[in-house]
Amino acid sequence: MSNNNLLRGFKDYIFSEAEKFQYIIDVTSEIAANYNFQKSYFPLLEESNIYSRSLGEESDIISKETYNFIDKGGNDVTLRPEFTAGIVRALITNKLYDKLPLKIFSYGPLFRYERPQKGRARQFHQLNFEYFGNESFYAEIEILLLVRAICKKLRIRDKISLEINSLGSNETRAKYKEHLVGYLKKYQSSLSENSKIRLSKNPLRILDSKDKKDQEIIADAPKINEFYDIKDQDFFVKIIDYLSDAKLEFNINPNLVRGLDYYSHTVFEFTTDQLGAQNAVFAGGRYNNLVENMGGKYVPAIGFAGGIERLIELLDENYLEKEKNFIVPRAEKEFQFSFKLLDELRNLGYNFEVKSSAKNLSKSLRKLSSLNPHFVFIIGEEELSKNILIVKNFRSGQEYKISLVNWQSEFRKIYNNSVLKTIK
Ligand code: HAM
């Protein structure tokens, strides 16, 4: 073996790659703060049982993908393959129960010994969100709207669609498993080798199979929604109704089961058709029983993670392009006032430039519109004498007259409304 090899499935993030990486973390951190998620960091190495007890011995991650070893003190340890189990461990270790409900945002590297391909690495990075202590369907809505806000801000919303399903309660799943296995056993000899193994170990995962023949068999298999009880049904319907109201498009996929053992009720994936087989960009679900199963109190929870490498692939070339806003003084004598305004707007955190008007205002505005601005302030002698400012929203076409006395708060309202509308 020659020296200086990069390990398969590992990557250097150099210059523009590192910039994109940081941009995704910055954008997400800002949105996380708006949604009241608090940033926290957790160890890269945990005792192996943290993962095996939570993800399930038969899950792909535990059965074949962990980087684990015995450390010098004789401890069986594992490099973290995902965040959730370690965060649950931290919640229990630090007895965070009196802080509930608790929203935690984290990001960082993870390790899975998978076969590398486009969108799949052995060291990869996630943005991870966990929401503890909220049993209401409202937590689902908040989480799903949060993903939408991230996609919107990264300008990748039209590349991503939401697949959602409910796995129901533990009892529902147990009943379903029994019926599914009964059905699949009839076709056992025709199943792929992988699915034959899964039939006894992890039968729900057969629903995920990419094998053509498996998929034909699955098409006629019983579906989980046939086994929901009233509570499962009500809970899922509330989510679906709310999502329709919020105009967040989704597809109910009864075969979406996710590869980790801890989920119950809602599971979801935001997928893309731009990354080949590795199509999930954000993925997660509810896991009400995990904290208790790991030795803590009963704490309902929901969370998700997004793959930073997959997001990097989806970013546009011009992803860094900032929003543009302008102040247009109609004539030379409004320049002084315009620059005072510019200074205040920048201090308030808005991105503005002054663009002088040619004699013909409408011609100047037409020229400006090719720069795709969001807001333009028009400063004229007549308006100033009446103590008003004209503000034009180029996205909606609306024009506002705002009073010079409290223009800051009036503009903030107009601006926030416009941003909210575009996030929807
Ligand atoms: P997961 O589906 O295993 O879920 O991973 C979530 C996301 O991480 C995937 O959708 C993908 O974007 C990214 N990802 C996973 N494996 C790789 C890889 N080998 N290379 C590149 N990207 C990858 C979880 O990890 C759960 N802990 C999510 C969660 C949080 N559920 C509840 N809370």
Side-chain angles (χ1 to χ4, degrees):
M1 197 170 150
S2 69
N3 292 330
N4 309 325
N5 288 321
L6 177 67
L7 281 172
R8 199 161 123 75
F10 287 69
K11 185 178 155 71
D12 300 315
Y13 292 79
I14 296 175
F15 307 139
S16 66
E17 204 71 14
E19 241 165 55
K20 287 181 184 171
F21 191 95
Q22 192 57 44
Y23 174 72
I24 288 169
I25 290 170
D26 291 347
V27 162
T28 308
S29 299
E30 201 183 309
I31 295 173
N34 286 346
Y35 278 69
N36 280 324
F37 278 79
Q38 298 183 66
K39 206 174 267 175
S40 301
Y41 300 107
F42 303 96
L44 273 181
L45 207 57
E46 294 273 4
E47 284 183 4
S48 296
N49 74 74
I50 300 294
Y51 298 112
S52 55
R53 281 190 294 138
S54 53
L55 312 191
E57 296 282 1
E58 307 301 341
S59 65
D60 285 352
I61 297 182
I62 298 303
S63 62
K64 53 186 189 213
E65 294 170 2
T66 52
Y67 281 83
N68 61 321
F69 57 95
I70 307 294
D71 74 7
K72 292 195 170 74
N75 305 300
D76 185 344
V77 293
T78 295
L79 274 179
R80 82 180 164 200
E82 62 112 48
F83 276 97
T84 314
I87 298 180
V88 168
R89 196 272 311 133
L91 178 126
I92 299 171
T93 318
N94 297 292
K95 300 194 181 63
L96 298 178
Y97 303 109
D98 59 341
K99 304 253 183 326
L100 295 171
L102 188 59
K103 293 165 153 182
I104 299 178
F105 166 55
S106 200
Y107 63 86
L110 303 124
F111 302 85
R112 296 184 192 173
Y113 197 83
E114 295 193 82
R115 197 168 47 78
Q117 61 183 83
K118 190 177 163 78
R120 191 161 74 189
R122 289 181 174 166
Q123 177 181 334
F124 62 100
H125 302 76
Q126 285 181 346
L127 309 158
N128 189 87
F129 290 80
E130 309 294 352
Y131 187 173
F132 293 103
N134 189 341
E135 204 152 8
S136 151
F137 77 98
Y138 185 71
E140 263 82 350
I141 302 301
E142 199 173 349
I143 289 282
L144 295 169
L145 293 182
L146 167 59
V147 180
R148 175 166 75 177
I150 297 171
C151 293
K152 174 76 199 162
K153 197 78 195 259
L154 294 175
R155 290 190 275 167
I156 57 165
R157 236 191 100 191
D158 52 352
K159 296 178 184 164
I160 283 198
S161 46
L162 168 60
E163 304 264 309
I164 190 164
N165 190 22
S166 169
L167 301 176
S169 64
N170 290 348
E171 296 75 44
T172 303
R173 234 163 25 262
K175 228 185 314 160
Y176 175 57
K177 227 183 236 178
E178 217 176 279
H179 281 77
L180 183 67
V181 171
Y183 166 86
L184 290 172
K185 276 203 166 142
K186 290 191 277 182
Y187 302 93
Q188 193 162 2
S189 56
S190 315
L191 286 172
S192 66
E193 287 313 306
N194 217 350
S195 292
K196 275 182 193 143
I197 300 169
R198 283 180 166 163
L199 191 54
S200 58
K201 296 191 161 168
N202 200 353
L204 289 191
R205 285 307 305 282
I206 296 177
L207 299 175
D208 264 352
S209 170
K210 304 268 190 296
D211 180 273
K212 275 250 156 58
K213 184 78 189 132
D214 284 354
Q215 286 181 346
E216 278 170 30
I217 297 170
I218 293 159
D220 292 326
K223 301 279 177 274
I224 186 125
N225 56 7
E226 298 157 20
F227 297 82
Y228 292 162
D229 63 22
I230 295 280
K231 272 191 178 159
D232 298 335
Q233 179 77 22
D234 274 4
F235 191 74
F236 196 37
V237 166
K238 273 191 195 133
I239 295 167
I240 295 309
D241 280 353
Y242 199 103
L243 290 182
S244 310
D245 246 24
K247 300 209 166 38
L248 207 171
E249 282 173 28
F250 59 86
N251 172 38
I252 299 178
N253 176 356
N255 291 333
L256 178 68
V257 289
R258 309 272 303 124
L260 310 167
D261 258 13
Y262 48 64
Y263 293 112
S264 58
H265 296 285
T266 322
V267 285
F268 62 87
E269 288 186 354
F270 284 80
T271 58
T272 180
D273 56 11
Q274 314 218 340
L275 290 175
Q278 302 312 312
N279 63 354
V281 182
F282 296 93
R286 191 167 266 288
Y287 56 96
N288 288 348
N289 305 305
L290 183 59
V291 182
E292 200 172 22
N293 289 347
M294 285 183 70
K297 295 183 183 173
Y298 174 71
V299 179
I302 179 170
F304 72 93
I308 297 184
E309 284 71 12
R310 295 187 192 177
L311 286 165
I312 287 177
E313 294 269 346
L314 294 182
L315 281 185
D316 269 355
E317 284 289 292
N318 57 351
Y319 72 100
L320 263 183
E321 208 171 88
K322 291 225 170 68
E323 177 180 288
K324 296 189 191 88
N325 302 294
F326 296 100
I327 300 172
V328 178
R330 277 177 190 259
E332 193 80 29
K333 49 186 180 304
E334 284 93 38
F335 260 70
Q336 202 179 357
F337 178 82
S338 298
F339 277 101
K340 252 172 49 197
L341 191 66
L342 176 70
D343 196 36
E344 268 205 70
L345 280 162
R346 285 178 172 168
N347 283 338
L348 290 169
Y350 301 105
N351 179 338
F352 268 81
E353 293 286 340
V354 170
K355 275 261 186 237
S356 61
S357 161
K359 282 196 185 91
N360 183 335
L361 180 70
S362 52
K363 205 166 146 194
S364 302
L365 291 181
R366 256 202 315 280
K367 225 165 138 194
L368 263 190
S369 78
S370 68
L371 298 175
N372 205 10
H374 190 181
F375 282 99
V376 174
F377 279 51
I378 300 163
I379 314 298
E381 190 178 15
E382 195 187 326
E383 290 82 18
L384 287 186
S385 71
K386 292 184 196 152
N387 266 342
I388 55 169
L389 291 169
I390 294 184
V391 177
K392 205 170 157 67
N393 181 343
F394 269 66
R395 289 191 189 156
S396 68
Q398 272 171 298
E399 194 170 290
Y400 305 85
K401 286 191 172 133
I402 61 179
S403 159
L404 258 181
V405 182
N406 55 351
W407 68 267
Q408 294 91 336
S409 62
E410 284 201 40
F411 179 58
R412 186 181 312 122
K413 261 188 251 155
I414 294 170
Y415 185 90
N416 287 348
N417 266 336
S418 176
V419 170
L420 268 182
K421 268 194 198 123
T422 29
I423 281 180
K424 277 187 181 170

